[in-house]
Amino acid sequence: GPVPGRSGEVPRVRRTTGSLPPAERPGAGKAINASVAAMEPVLDRRRTALEERAGEEALKARLDVTFPATPAATGSIHPIRRIVQDVCEYFEHHGFAVVLGNEIEPDYYTFDALNIPPDHPAREGFDSFWIDDHLLLRPHTSPIQVRTMKLHPAPIAIVAPGRCFRRDAVDARHLFQFHQIEGLLVDEGVHFGHLKGMLTGLCRALFGPAQRVRFRPSFFPFTEPSAEVDTTCPRCKGEAAACGMCGGSGWIELGGAGMVHPNVLREAGYDSEKLSGWAFGFGAERLALARYEVDDIRRFIDSDRDFLEQLGTLS
Ligand code: DAH
C-alpha cells in the first residue's frame, strides 16, 4: 500500500508505538526511522524510472516518425562509363567479346603494325606523349586490334574501350585524356555493308530508332577504304540552322572506321587473301556530348556533383 501520508502503513505503525511500554518506545521509533530511510532510495529510483518513461512518451508524441529521412549519398555512374557500358552491351548482344588493352604501348603496336612506318607523317597527327624512344601513352585504342589478332586465330569479333592520351590543348572539344571504343570484326566474307549495319544499329540503340548515320570518305593508314562516321545531331535533329551543338552542319562526328588494311592483317599473321574485316574507333566523349547534349567536354572531368548526378540518373 501507499507509504507516505497519514493513512499509510508507516504512520499506522508509528501510532502503535504509543501503546508500548515507555522503555521500548525509543527503540521502536529508531527501528521505524531506519526502515523508512532504507525505503527512500528504492522509492527514488522507481520515481525516476517512471518520470523517464513519461518523458519518452511525451517525446514520441512530438516526433513525426513518418518524416522522410535525409538521403545517404550513393553516387551515380559517370556518363562516360555509362556510354562505354551501353556500347559494349550492344556489341556483346551481337556476340562480340569485350577486351582491354594497355595504356602504355610500344610504337610497334601503336604505329608500325597499323601500317604507319617510322617516317610516316600520320604519326605526327597522333600528338603522342612519348615516354622514351619506343614507349608512349597510347593515343588511340587501335593497338588492341593487332594484339588480339596475334593471340587469336580468325574469326574474331571484339570491342575494346579504353583511355587514350594526346598532347591536345584543352578546350570545349578537346582533352589531353579521353576514351575511345575500338571495334574489330575479321572473318571470311566480311564487307563494308556489315560495318554500316553494325554502326547504324549502334547509333539507333544509343540515340533512338530514327537516328541516321553518315559515312564520309576519309583516310586512315590502317583501313582501306576509310570513312569518317557522323550521326544526326540530337539537338537540332539534322535541321542544322544555327545549332550550337553541331555548328550548323546537322551532324556530329563520332570517329573513324573502315575495312582493315591487308598489311595490318598480314602483320598480325592473318591470311589477307582469305580474310577481311572492318574496324572502327569512336570517341566515348563525343558520344556522351551528343547523347547528353552537353556543350563542353570539360564538364565530364570537372567533378561537379550536381552535373554528374543529373546525368547519372538518365538511362
Ligand atoms: N584510331 C583512329 C584514331 O584514333 C580511329 C580509327 C579509325 C579507328 C579507323 C579504327 C578505324 O579502328 O578503322 O583517330
Side-chain angles (χ1 to χ4, degrees):
V3 180
R6 318 202 88 247
S7 59
E9 195 66 7
V10 175
R12 190 189 62 75
V13 174
R14 269 195 213 288
R15 280 194 294 276
T16 63
T17 57
S19 58
L20 288 173
E24 290 177 15
R25 286 182 201 163
K30 267 189 193 157
I32 291 166
N33 288 344
S35 56
V36 168
M39 277 189 277
E40 253 153 22
V42 178
L43 283 170
D44 282 348
R45 271 200 304 270
R46 183 75 188 130
R47 188 179 296 115
T48 309
L50 288 169
E51 281 169 2
E52 273 172 11
R53 218 173 77 189
E56 277 166 23
E57 265 152 26
L59 192 60
K60 267 194 209 140
R62 277 189 287 134
L63 274 183
D64 179 1
V65 295
T66 66
F67 195 80
T70 310
T74 52
S76 56
I77 295 175
H78 192 280
I80 301 299
R81 177 160 291 262
R82 189 175 291 277
I83 285 282
V84 166
Q85 281 175 352
D86 290 352
V87 173
C88 288
E89 202 174 285
Y90 167 81
F91 281 101
E92 283 181 285
H93 176 75
H94 289 280
F96 285 60
V98 176
V99 296
L100 301 176
N102 307 321
E103 291 180 358
I104 296 175
E105 284 282 10
D107 49 2
Y108 171 75
Y109 286 105
T110 316
F111 299 124
D112 302 67
L114 289 166
N115 202 31
I116 312 174
D119 50 3
H120 196 288
R123 285 201 183 201
E124 287 306 306
F126 283 97
D127 295 315
S128 308
F129 289 108
W130 289 88
I131 293 167
D132 60 28
D133 285 350
H134 290 291
L135 280 181
L136 66 159
L137 297 181
R138 68 170 171 201
H140 59 168
T141 44
S142 301
I144 194 68
Q145 292 189 23
V146 182
R147 286 192 177 275
T148 309
M149 286 191 278
K150 279 181 184 268
L151 276 175
H152 301 280
I156 54 162
I158 56 154
V159 60
R163 208 161 14 165
C164 300
F165 309 84
R166 291 193 195 179
R167 289 182 288 106
D168 273 331
V170 173
D171 63 26
R173 295 261 136 194
H174 299 89
L175 295 174
F176 51 83
Q177 178 188 300
F178 58 99
H179 296 76
Q180 281 190 344
I181 305 165
E182 193 83 13
L184 175 68
L185 175 77
V186 184
D187 201 350
E188 289 178 27
V190 172
H191 58 72
F192 204 92
H194 297 134
L195 172 66
K196 291 184 82 171
M198 286 303 291
L199 293 184
T200 304
L202 172 67
C203 288
R204 291 186 177 160
L206 292 177
F207 298 105
Q211 193 69 13
R212 294 178 59 216
V213 181
R214 175 172 85 167
F215 294 77
R216 275 182 293 122
S218 184
F219 172 78
F220 297 101
F222 32 91
T223 42
E224 179 58 36
S226 304
E228 213 79 59
V229 185
D230 303 335
T231 195
T232 331
C233 172
R235 184 172 291 172
C236 69
K237 309 276 181 270
E239 296 302 317
C243 175
M245 174 116 234
C246 59
S249 73
W251 298 93
I252 300 281
E253 189 182 309
L254 299 179
M259 298 306 291
V260 181
H261 197 289
N263 287 352
V264 176
L265 294 175
R266 272 196 292 274
E267 182 62 31
Y270 276 18
D271 182 346
S272 64
E273 295 296 321
K274 252 176 60 188
L275 298 165
S276 58
W278 57 246
F280 73 87
F282 278 4
E285 280 78 2
R286 297 266 181 82
L287 287 166
L289 287 171
R291 182 195 242 184
Y292 298 115
E293 298 186 32
V294 173
D295 49 16
D296 193 324
I297 200 169
R298 289 168 290 195
R299 302 214 66 189
F300 292 124
I301 55 165
D302 270 349
S303 296
D304 173 347
R305 261 184 61 178
D306 288 342
F307 171 79
L308 294 175
E309 277 171 11
Q310 190 187 340
L311 296 192
T313 59
L314 301 173
S315 65

